[in-house]
Amino acid sequence: MGDLTGELKKLLALHGQSHVLRFFDSLDHEQKKRLADQVRSIDFELLDSLASEDSSEFVDFADIEPAEFIRLGACARNDERWRRAHEAGSDALAEGKVAAFVVAGGQGTRLGFDGPKGSYPIGPVSQRTLFEIHAEKVLAASRRYNRDIPLLVMTSSANDAQTRRFLEEKQFFGLPADCVRIFRQDEIPALDRHGKLLLERPDCIFMSPNGHGGSLKALWDSGTIRWLSSRGIEIISYFQVDNPLARVIDPAFIGFHIIEAAEVSLKLLERTMPDEKLGVWVRMNGRLRVIEYIDMPPEKMRERDDDGRLRFSGGSIAINCFSTSFVRRLNERGFQLPFHRASKKIPYIDEKGRRVEPEEPNGTKFETFVFDSLLFTESAIGVETTRRDEFSPVKNAAGADSPETSRRDMSRLYADWLRAAGVRLPVDDHGYPPFFIEISPLYADSAEVLRQVYDGPEEIAGQTVLR
Ligand code: UTP
């Protein structure tokens, strides 16, 4: 270990981080090895540039315009354009050209659930987990198109082992084991106010996942892009683990991606409130981008057209399509997404080895965002959907975007489908039924399918689950 310490000492001294070895001599062999491995995995050049404030991406808001997107009005279900897209997407699915990709590497801090977020029981009646709902949607689509649709799952160090165990124990919810591919994203250390690394334990530097943008590199580093190509898969249908309403395989969306020859496609909502917490779809210096709501100038967030609608109307809900060839090109050429900074309270051990739980933010975490991949493409599109149909994320333990709101929104969507199929059931002015309703994706995964297969009563008067 002598040489090793020398090597580490030199590296850390060069970057002003020698304090990381403060407790090294008191560690046992295993702990020393662990810390040494962790230090070696860090890109210190990158960290040095992050420590200097001017590494932030320069964003010039002078030349920012709302960006155009395919509107729902123009792609209503019976519209010719929508029909063509649906057909193109269905063909791609039947030819086995599509994989589903769930990013599940986040830490779920706001939800505060003990376990990977994907194992959170969200089903309003059945308590189905988020992973189960997503996997059943993939299974339903693969049955419909009579082709395997692989499910890619991105984890992070903090939840990888638990996620694997969970999915294996549940036998991948019926998906063939060789169609589920689990891989880990990279981590990046946080820095304190003085640009120093923080120790979580004497043998461990505090690190966190590098943001959902890390998925584009993780797809490559894990060999997944090669694996997809060897199966003839050309399109990755990307979504986040915490949105049970996501249509994880949407033929029309996939079809628009194909017809418009896009490398990146995004689903967008019409923003209705200035402070809605969605990334905003813009054209900036001629390039399509999504700008996080906190980074947008507040006056732009409030601007309205003559008809009273918000001028910057597209809000991103993190349901995307990526062409496999695009992810390959990024990685073959080498790319770096910009890092976004977040001030956080980061527990650490001080120079005496005492654990400190700060009451105020004491450091910065760095994350990349998947939509910044738009910086690297000329061919991107946005396609409109509605919140009611597709977006109700589980972010917080209570209040907005919580399990409670998400279960209510799921029940409302299923009530919509049932009513469209001619079933009578009570709803309030906003369409919410007074009881929970749940429909397994294996029973029906859209209003159209439900209309064809529904074999229940003509009237529903209480809690119901269809499976
Ligand atoms: P969020 O950042 O909104 O939520 O991630 P979170 O990380 O789960 O929870 P908080 O912020 O700690 O409360 C949105 C989606 O992106 C994934 C998450 O798993 C979630 O599906 N994600 C986020 C990653 O896969 N990796 C990351 O590094 C960050």
Side-chain angles (χ1 to χ4, degrees):
M1 195 57 72
D3 284 352
L4 191 59
T5 325
E7 175 212 329
L8 291 185
K9 269 191 179 150
K10 238 162 88 185
L11 179 64
L12 290 164
L14 190 65
H15 297 279
Q17 303 287 0
S18 299
H19 63 287
V20 162
L21 295 183
R22 188 178 280 144
F23 304 103
F24 200 73
D25 292 340
S26 63
L27 302 179
D28 67 25
H29 184 76
E30 270 310 298
Q31 291 171 317
K32 282 182 176 162
K33 186 171 172 320
R34 194 192 135 78
L35 184 56
D37 287 346
Q38 212 184 12
V39 171
R40 278 200 211 90
S41 74
I42 294 174
D43 180 344
F44 282 97
E45 310 284 321
L46 173 65
L47 217 57
D48 288 347
S49 81
L50 290 175
S52 73
E53 281 298 321
D54 36 301
S55 69
S56 303
E57 190 203 0
F58 175 71
V59 180
D60 176 9
F61 287 105
D63 183 11
I64 185 172
E65 287 296 322
E68 65 287 2
F69 52 99
I70 298 170
R71 291 290 194 162
L72 260 184
C75 64
R77 304 281 133 127
N78 49 4
D79 175 89
E80 176 59 18
R81 194 171 177 205
W82 184 87
R83 202 193 51 70
R84 279 209 315 275
H86 192 276
E87 200 173 291
S90 301
D91 289 349
L93 284 156
E95 289 161 19
K97 290 187 176 163
V98 183
F101 178 23
V102 58
V103 288
Q107 294 167 306
T109 3
R110 286 169 287 173
L111 182 62
F113 172 62
D114 185 19
K117 222 190 217 186
S119 61
Y120 189 89
I122 193 67
V125 185
S126 71
Q127 303 294 308
R128 262 181 184 72
T129 61
L130 284 157
F131 274 138
E132 182 166 6
I133 290 172
H134 298 316
E136 286 191 348
K137 288 183 189 175
V138 176
L139 187 57
S142 63
R143 286 183 183 160
R144 174 164 320 118
Y145 296 102
N146 202 18
R147 282 306 277 248
D148 282 341
I149 298 175
L151 175 61
L152 316 175
V153 183
M154 184 176 82
T155 64
S156 56
S157 297
N159 66 20
D160 184 72
Q162 273 181 301
T163 303
R164 283 175 194 274
R165 210 175 314 121
F166 179 77
L167 290 174
E168 279 161 20
E169 268 169 19
K170 303 290 180 188
Q171 301 183 327
F172 308 109
F173 300 108
L175 291 168
D178 65 350
C179 277
V180 180
R181 206 175 149 99
I182 306 169
F183 54 93
R184 240 184 335 169
Q185 67 180 111
D186 285 342
E187 290 181 299
I188 182 160
L191 293 173
D192 74 6
R193 292 272 171 262
H194 311 287
K196 301 289 179 197
L197 294 166
L198 291 148
L199 282 177
E200 189 178 345
R201 293 193 309 271
D203 65 335
C204 184
I205 297 165
F206 181 92
M207 310 255 255
S208 51
N210 60 351
H212 40 66
S215 59
L216 297 170
K217 185 159 179 288
L219 278 166
W220 179 256
D221 291 347
S222 61
T224 304
I225 290 295
R226 272 189 299 281
W227 183 83
L228 293 173
S229 299
S230 73
R231 291 177 160 237
I233 288 169
E234 296 174 4
I235 296 166
I236 298 166
S237 178
Y238 167 108
F239 59 100
Q240 301 189 330
V241 74
D242 51 18
N243 177 18
L245 294 196
R247 292 193 76 178
V248 308
I249 293 293
D250 179 347
F253 182 49
I254 293 166
F256 279 120
H257 180 81
I258 296 170
I259 290 173
E260 301 294 327
E263 290 186 315
V264 183
S265 298
L266 294 90
K267 279 203 178 164
L268 305 169
L269 301 181
E270 160 120 30
R271 291 176 58 242
T272 52
M273 290 169 296
D275 55 354
E276 217 162 349
K277 292 186 176 165
L278 297 174
V280 184
W281 179 239
V282 304
R283 191 172 278 283
M284 210 154 128
N285 305 319
R287 175 176 285 287
L288 290 167
R289 298 280 309 264
V290 169
I291 305 293
E292 266 291 89
Y293 59 94
I294 33 165
D295 296 330
M296 281 285 286
E299 66 283 3
K300 297 273 179 209
M301 296 290 274
R302 288 192 297 266
E303 264 178 32
R304 292 190 184 267
D305 281 333
D306 294 343
D307 61 4
R309 290 176 146 190
L310 288 173
R311 194 165 157 259
F312 286 85
S313 55
S316 164
I317 54 166
I319 300 178
N320 306 329
C321 279
F322 292 101
S323 293
T324 315
S325 56
F326 171 66
V327 183
R328 172 184 291 279
R329 175 161 59 81
L330 282 187
N331 284 280
E332 280 178 347
R333 288 191 189 165
F335 73 108
Q336 176 62 62
L337 299 178
F339 278 93
H340 298 252
R341 296 152 189 271
S343 262
K344 297 275 174 178
K345 290 183 254 178
I346 303 171
Y348 65 99
I349 53 167
D350 67 11
E351 61 283 356
K352 298 231 165 67
R354 293 170 304 207
R355 188 171 168 82
V356 182
E357 301 275 350
E359 283 174 8
E360 295 299 324
N362 60 322
T364 307
K365 282 190 187 179
F366 303 95
E367 283 196 336
T368 57
F369 296 159
V370 75
F371 49 71
D372 282 330
S373 58
L374 289 165
L375 284 165
F376 301 98
T377 178
E378 298 300 327
S379 57
I381 57 164
V383 180
E384 187 179 2
T385 182
T386 65
R387 186 179 280 276
R388 186 156 169 162
D389 279 325
E390 274 205 78
F391 191 58
S392 186
V394 181
K395 300 282 184 199
N396 305 306
D401 295 340
S402 65
E404 190 193 338
T405 54
S406 195
R407 289 188 185 113
R408 272 169 43 81
D409 289 342
M410 290 169 82
S411 299
R412 175 170 68 173
L413 179 66
Y414 299 138
D416 286 346
W417 294 1
L418 284 161
R419 289 161 69 211
V423 179
R424 290 191 306 281
L425 81 170
V427 292
D428 69 13
D429 290 347
H430 303 284
Y432 289 107
F435 41 76
F436 282 138
I437 301 179
E438 187 174 340
I439 300 178
S440 155
L442 295 178
Y443 184 87
D445 59 353
S446 67
E448 298 81 45
V449 173
L450 185 76
R451 202 176 307 125
Q452 290 157 21
V453 302
Y454 184 69
D455 56 1
E458 282 170 18
E459 183 162 3
I460 289 180
Q463 179 166 295
T464 297
V465 59
L466 299 173
R467 53 180 136 217

